[in-house]
Amino acid sequence: MGQTIFQNIMNRKIPADFLYEDEHCIVIRDINAQAPTHCLIIPKKLISRIGDAAEEDQNLLGHLLLTAKKMAKKLKLEAGFRIIINNGKDGGETVPHLHVHLLGGRSLIWPPG
Ligand code: 5GP
């Protein structure tokens, strides 16, 4: 099976702006930022999307959210931030490797488009 874009980034086959890495995940800047700060928290384990996550992924999913929270602090998003997970075609998913978007640095409208 082919590697996802994010696996190729993890393996340093495709360059990216890394902000953080640990044994479970990486954090990179999104190549097409939708806000002054836009990064992606990506598990090293390939889970295609949140809809395909399993019970055994509970700790990992919690780790991704806590990492997003820590990154928001590190990136000084004290005025607020948004965490997004897109799932499937109608959800706007374009890369089939679970990732958490962290956006901030501007006032984000609601409802989203
Ligand atoms: P999705 O639409 O699946 O929720 O989000 C995929 C995100 O990955 C998009 O925001 C897109 O800009 C980002 N992305 C896609 N390819 C690359 C890449 O090669 N490098 C980086 N840094 N981000 C990427």
Side-chain angles (χ1 to χ4, degrees), residues 45-113:
K45 176 181 177 182
L46 175 56
I47 301 169
S48 295
R49 57 195 58 78
I50 189 69
D52 291 336
E55 290 297 321
E56 68 183 31
D57 297 320
Q58 181 166 327
N59 286 347
L60 175 59
L61 297 176
H63 181 71
L64 298 178
L65 285 181
L66 287 173
T67 301
K69 181 208 77 163
K70 288 176 194 164
M71 291 306 302
K73 185 163 191 191
K74 188 173 168 183
L75 295 167
K76 305 189 186 313
L77 301 179
E78 51 274 308
F81 56 88
R82 187 172 292 169
I83 289 170
I84 297 169
I85 300 176
N86 295 324
N87 189 100
K89 185 169 73 70
D90 282 359
E93 172 199 311
T94 58
V95 177
H97 184 149
L98 176 64
H99 48 284
V100 176
H101 294 258
L102 171 67
L103 294 115
R106 68 173 170 84
S107 185
L108 298 160
I109 59 164
W110 192 263

Side-chain angles (χ1 to χ4, degrees), residues 5-6 9 28-32 86 92-95 99 101:
I5 292 172
F6 294 154
I9 286 173
I28 59 171
R29 286 198 194 275
D30 197 294
I31 205 169
N32 183 22
N86 295 324
E93 172 199 311
T94 58
V95 177
H99 48 284
H101 294 258

